[in-house]
C-alpha cells in the first residue's frame, strides 16, 4: 500500500512514537524524477494505461511499506505484475523484478534481482541476478529506470527532517546602491 509522504511526515513530526509503531518498517520512498522530454508513447506504456496504480508526483513522493500481502511467504516481491506485493507501474520494471528478504538470524534485509530485463542497482552498481545484496539503514535502489530509497525508521526520520529543511525558502533583501 502506498502512503502519502506529506501526511506521514506531518504525523511523524507531531507524534513520532505512534508513526513508528503504525508503519511496517522498512519502507521504500519513490520520488518522481525531474521532468524530462518523453518519447512518444510506445506499446508497453499504452497497454498499462487501463490499470490504475499510484505514482509519485514532483511534490508528493510515495512511501511503500515493505511487507508481504500473504503472511506465510518469507519474501516481498516487487514488479509490474498485479500479483507482486509492491506494484510499480513503469515499462522499465519487469513483471517480477526483485525480491526483498529479511535474514532470519540477523534481521538484515536483502534485495535479490529476479533476473529482470533492465536490472536492479544499488548505489548505481548493478546487482548480480539471484545473488542477495544486503541493505543497511539507507540504500539507494533503482529498478529499471525507477529510483527509490530503502529506509529503516531512523533513516526515514532523517529523510523527513532533511526534506523539511530543503523546502524552507530563504528570501534575500537586496541593497540598493
Amino acid at each position: 500500500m502506498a502512503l502519502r509522504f506529506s501526511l506521514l511526515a506531518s504525523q511523524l513530526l507531531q507524534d513520532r512514537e505512534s508513526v513508528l509503531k503504525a508503519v511496517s518498517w522498512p519502507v521504500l520512498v519513490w520520488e518522481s524524477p525531474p521532468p524530462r522530454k518523453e518519447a512518444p508513447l510506445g506499446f508497453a506504456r499504452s497497454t498499462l494505461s487501463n490499470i490504475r496504480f499510484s505514482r509519485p508526483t514532483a511534490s508528493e513522493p510515495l512511501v511503500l511499506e515493505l511487507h508481504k500481502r500473504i503472511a506465510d511467504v518469507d519474501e516481498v516481491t516487487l514488479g509490474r505484475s498485479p500479483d507482486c506485493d509492491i506494484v510499480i507501474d513503469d515499462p522499465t520494471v519487469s513483471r517480477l523484478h526483485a525480491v526483498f528478504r529479511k535474514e532470519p538470524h540477523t534481521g538484515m534485509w536483502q534485495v535479490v534481482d529476479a533476473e529482470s530485463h533492465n536490472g536492479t542497482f544499488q548505489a548505481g552498481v548493478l546487482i548480480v541476478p539471484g545473488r542477495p545484496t544486503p541493505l543497511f539503514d539507507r540504500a539507494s535502489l533503482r529498478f529499471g529506470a525507477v529510483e527509490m530509497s530503502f529506509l529503516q525508521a531512523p533513516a526515514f526520520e532523517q529523510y523527513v527532517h532533511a526534506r523539511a529543511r530543503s523546502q524552507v525558502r530563504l528570501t534575500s533583501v537586496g541593497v540598493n546602491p
Side-chain angles (χ1 to χ4, degrees):
M1 177 162 97
L3 305 169
R4 288 182 42 215
F5 174 80
S6 59
L7 180 62
L8 190 58
S10 66
Q11 289 174 343
L12 181 77
L13 295 172
Q14 292 173 7
D15 187 4
R16 176 181 178 270
E17 292 304 316
S18 67
V19 171
L20 293 179
K21 288 178 186 173
V23 173
S24 175
W25 301 102
V27 296
L28 295 172
V29 176
W30 181 12
E31 291 187 71
S32 180
R36 61 185 163 117
K37 289 187 176 183
E38 290 290 329
L41 292 180
F43 178 76
R45 189 177 297 267
S46 63
T47 59
L48 296 173
S49 63
N50 296 333
I51 304 171
R52 299 190 193 281
F53 293 94
S54 297
R55 291 190 65 80
T57 63
S59 62
E60 187 68 61
L62 289 179
V63 179
L64 306 164
E65 294 180 282
L66 206 59
H67 67 86
K68 33 193 180 282
R69 294 188 309 185
I70 301 171
D72 296 341
V73 180
D74 291 334
E75 54 189 34
V76 178
T77 57
L78 178 143
R80 203 176 63 237
S81 170
D83 296 332
C84 290
D85 297 307
I86 300 172
V87 179
I88 305 299
D89 175 25
D90 189 277
T92 65
V93 174
S94 296
R95 286 186 299 271
L96 173 59
H97 198 101
V99 175
F100 292 89
R101 295 182 184 133
K102 187 174 183 180
E103 211 287 321
H105 301 292
T106 64
M108 173 75 65
W109 280 89
Q110 304 169 334
V111 64
V112 180
D113 180 80
E115 297 185 14
S116 64
H117 184 72
N118 292 313
T120 301
F121 299 79
Q122 180 185 19
V125 177
L126 180 65
I127 293 173
V128 176
R131 183 176 296 167
T133 301
L135 300 171
F136 299 98
D137 282 349
R138 172 187 303 252
S140 171
L141 298 172
R142 183 164 50 99
F143 308 98
V146 174
E147 295 184 21
M148 295 187 179
S149 297
F150 169 92
L151 302 170
Q152 291 283 10
F156 182 77
E157 287 185 84
Q158 292 172 350
Y159 178 85
V160 167
H161 291 292
R163 191 168 166 96
R165 282 191 302 269
S166 71
Q167 291 188 1
V168 173
R169 297 200 172 144
L170 301 176
T171 57
S172 60
V173 178
V175 178
N176 292 333

